[in-house]
Amino acid sequence: MSHQSDLIASDILAYLKQHENKDLLRFITCGNVDDGKSTLIGRLLHDSKLIFEDHLAAIKKDSQKYNTTDDEFDLALLVDGLQAEREQGITIDVAYRYFSTDKRKFIIADCPGHEQYTRNMATGASTCDLAVILIDARYGVQTQTRRHSYIVSLLGIRHVLVAVNKMDLVDFSEARFNEIKAAYLEFAGALDIPDIRFVPISALKGDNVVNASAQTPWYDGGTLMALLESVKVDRDAQLNAFRLPVQYVNRPNLDFRGFCGTIAAGQIAPGDDVVALPSGKRSKVKAIVTFEGEQATAFASQAITLTLDDEIDISRGDLIVRAGDPQPSVAQAFDAHVVWMNESPLTVGKEYVIKLAGKSVFGRVSRIAHRVDVNTMAQTEAGQLGLNEIALVTVEVNAPVVFDPYAACRGTGSFIVIDRLTNATAGAGMITAAANRADGHSDDLDELARFRAFEVELNALVRKYFPHWGALEIPRGPR
């Protein structure tokens, strides 16, 4: 192993603690088919000495069986585990690999390059902080390069490493590398990717992957592994306000009622005032409960259970936010970019299930504002969306939902579209803003304010006509 430590032999608990505290980077490899994505991951693991001997022996045996390369063994077989993948020499499903170096832990999502599997690529990219986009040095920027880069931009990935692969087939030409670099930067100028870096590599031969290559003396930007170990992603959080989508209400006995979920943004501590949305009910955090016991504070990405001082109504799909923080939108319509993933086209007006931050509601696409041509970034009119097409649409749902713009918070700004008949995931969306409904009613409403007004009026009627019930007056205005 590349990060063997003396602590393993002398103090295994200290070693595990050291390993536990390492920074974690999730990244995706994507690009055109045959650009060498699976081979690159195999090379990363092999040159980092992270493949066990028996596994390597099995790969060598399969390499002879499938004859996928003229070399001693095909490193792509390390991640292409499906029979069909090995027979065709392509990646079909998203494959995840986990490894670590002495500086960082990694989770890799190896995604298919064929256009047919763009939906798999979007799924793999949805949880990543960085994308490695491979380009075959012989062919340069291709359609899938543009498509994947655009999806990476839509999904809010702010760091891209462009690995110009198969440099050995162009004699490690600096001129060819610079030509591809210029072409990519020209295309990427229209995308929202602030950090783009380039590295010339040969995944097959191992040049500039883990070890620096003697074939590229003109390149001094660091190997791919060095860049993966050093890129800073912890500063990318866009929203500091607290967001807890409620995934489960835990009530094991009469004395305990907790609200479970993974914190999407911000932090929380006992004693903080919180608001449950969309109801608008307020309470105070009593305790933060985890498997390890009660915590003094909790941060984004932690899975926790909150107990509150009051027995207010909170259900699965509600959102708990901290009072005083910037509030999310509560509305029944929003604009969003949608990547369509189903063989059946997206039809305007057809009813789907919209699942957003744990909440499922019926809804429909009421308007396609424009479809995006990923090759030219041109926006065109469309009546429906086909498989792998991308568009800006307006979505209407049958009940109020709570959300933030995707650019501010992934956890509360993304959703999936589910076909009601097949129960298949038909599309993935990234919310841009609240929208006006097709009937002209504004939903930037403040749906919460309407609920509050209704509650106040109902309370007044109850006190007027049923005074013997003893209902207490509730205050007007924000609570």
Side-chain angles (χ1 to χ4, degrees), residues 332 351-352 361-364 396-401 420 437:
Q332 284 185 244
E351 191 163 81
Y352 298 95
V361 294
F362 292 123
R364 66 208 61 78
E396 292 186 13
V397 291
N398 294 350
V401 290
R420 292 187 61 188
R437 297 177 58 176

Side-chain angles (χ1 to χ4, degrees), residues 137-353:
R138 296 170 298 172
Y139 308 123
V141 176
Q142 302 289 297
T143 299
Q144 282 298 78
T145 311
R146 297 187 181 93
R147 181 184 297 274
H148 289 173
S149 299
Y150 182 61
I151 294 175
V152 161
S153 171
L154 277 183
L155 290 173
I157 295 177
R158 302 169 62 79
H159 306 278
V160 165
L161 299 183
V162 180
V164 182
N165 193 20
K166 305 187 182 181
M167 288 295 294
D168 53 309
L169 300 182
V170 295
D171 298 326
F172 294 94
S173 167
E174 181 183 10
R176 180 58 179 157
F177 175 76
N178 289 333
E179 183 182 344
I180 294 172
K181 181 178 177 180
Y184 187 88
L185 287 175
E186 181 181 1
F187 158 75
L191 306 179
D192 183 21
I193 305 175
D195 182 17
I196 302 176
R197 309 182 197 192
F198 296 83
V199 54
I201 68 168
S202 169
L204 187 64
K205 305 297 182 184
D207 295 274
N208 287 332
V209 178
V210 174
N211 304 310
S213 172
Q215 306 292 332
T216 55
W218 42 266
Y219 173 73
D220 59 358
T223 65
L224 186 69
M225 177 63 89
L227 294 175
L228 289 172
E229 287 182 326
S230 61
V231 65
K232 302 293 185 185
V233 297
D234 56 342
R235 297 170 298 177
D236 293 346
Q238 301 293 304
L239 185 66
N240 291 321
F242 178 71
R243 301 286 190 263
L244 177 68
V246 177
Q247 297 168 323
Y248 177 65
V249 180
N250 187 12
R251 190 168 175 78
N253 54 58
L254 293 175
D255 299 324
F256 186 90
R257 185 166 179 259
F259 306 101
C260 313
T262 300
I263 301 175
Q267 63 183 58
I268 196 73
D272 285 351
D273 291 324
V274 293
V275 181
L277 297 174
S279 70
K281 299 291 185 183
R282 298 185 63 153
S283 185
K284 188 184 294 289
V285 175
K286 183 178 181 181
I288 302 169
V289 183
T290 68
F291 180 78
E292 289 80 16
E294 293 191 8
Q295 304 290 319
T297 186
F299 302 89
S301 79
Q302 285 187 300
I304 62 167
T305 297
L306 284 187
T307 61
L308 306 180
D309 281 345
D310 306 291
E311 292 291 339
I312 62 176
D313 178 19
I314 301 177
S315 304
R316 173 184 170 86
D318 287 353
L319 189 71
I320 298 177
V321 303
R322 185 167 51 200
D325 280 349
Q327 298 295 292
S329 297
V330 181
Q332 284 185 244
F334 51 82
D335 292 332
H337 285 102
V338 166
V339 180
W340 197 244
M341 302 177 168
N342 205 326
E343 300 285 351
S344 300
L346 182 155
T347 304
V348 174
K350 179 180 176 180
E351 191 163 81
Y352 298 95
V353 175

